[in-house]
Amino acid sequence: TYRTMSRTPPWSPEEYRERSRTIGAFVTPIIARGGKVIFLRFPTSGVLWELEEQRYPRKDYWDVFAAESQAVTIHFKDYPTLAHFNCPDGSHLDYRDAVPFTKALVEILAPLLN
């Protein structure tokens, strides 16, 4: 993950927005048929989070996607029950956090699915 990120140039905000529109084209008919679409930004931490924020600042990427999407978007940093989880390798939760994370996520998702 770190090496891959450092070897590839980041998408420009414009390119990201165009890709987001492509995703939106798939979301729209699902919602029109009564389906629900939820995009979830899972936790990352440490050096990986810092690298992601450098290359893809949330305000220029995720927040733009969330604002333009018809889908529900959940970013782990917006929920204290999700934001406190630490990823030992930067992108994967510790196995001991699997159950507490899942419970916290279900508490967020359950009301959205009714």
Side-chain angles (χ1 to χ4, degrees), residues 92-114:
H92 298 92
L93 294 173
D94 184 281
Y95 73 93
R96 292 168 289 219
D97 287 332
V99 171
F101 178 82
T102 302
K103 285 181 179 179
L105 182 57
V106 167
E107 288 179 9
I108 294 165
L109 289 174
L112 300 173
L113 298 176
N114 292 324

Side-chain angles (χ1 to χ4, degrees), residues 6-47:
S6 63
R7 284 185 286 167
T8 58
W11 295 339
S12 69
E14 296 77 23
E15 184 179 3
Y16 181 82
R17 212 176 199 152
E18 183 58 39
R19 290 173 186 248
S20 293
R21 284 189 199 103
T22 301
I23 292 170
F26 295 113
V27 170
T28 302
I30 293 169
I31 292 173
R33 290 191 303 266
K36 294 191 180 186
V37 178
I38 300 171
F39 289 100
L40 172 62
R41 172 55 164 90
F42 280 95
T44 56
S45 55
V47 174

Side-chain angles (χ1 to χ4, degrees), residues 16-93:
Y16 181 82
R17 212 176 199 152
E18 183 58 39
R19 290 173 186 248
S20 293
R21 284 189 199 103
T22 301
I23 292 170
F26 295 113
V27 170
T28 302
I30 293 169
I31 292 173
R33 290 191 303 266
K36 294 191 180 186
V37 178
I38 300 171
F39 289 100
L40 172 62
R41 172 55 164 90
F42 280 95
T44 56
S45 55
V47 174
L48 181 58
W49 171 254
E50 291 170 16
L51 182 60
E52 290 169 341
E53 274 299 291
Q54 268 183 342
R55 292 175 63 89
Y56 297 104
R58 179 180 171 180
K59 67 179 180 58
D60 297 329
Y61 291 86
W62 176 267
D63 291 350
V64 170
F65 172 73
E68 293 180 357
S69 180
Q70 292 181 27
V72 172
T73 56
I74 298 172
H75 193 291
F76 75 98
K77 288 282 190 181
D78 293 335
Y79 296 85
T81 57
L82 301 180
H84 75 277
F85 287 97
N86 182 48
C87 302
D89 70 349
S91 63
H92 298 92
L93 294 173

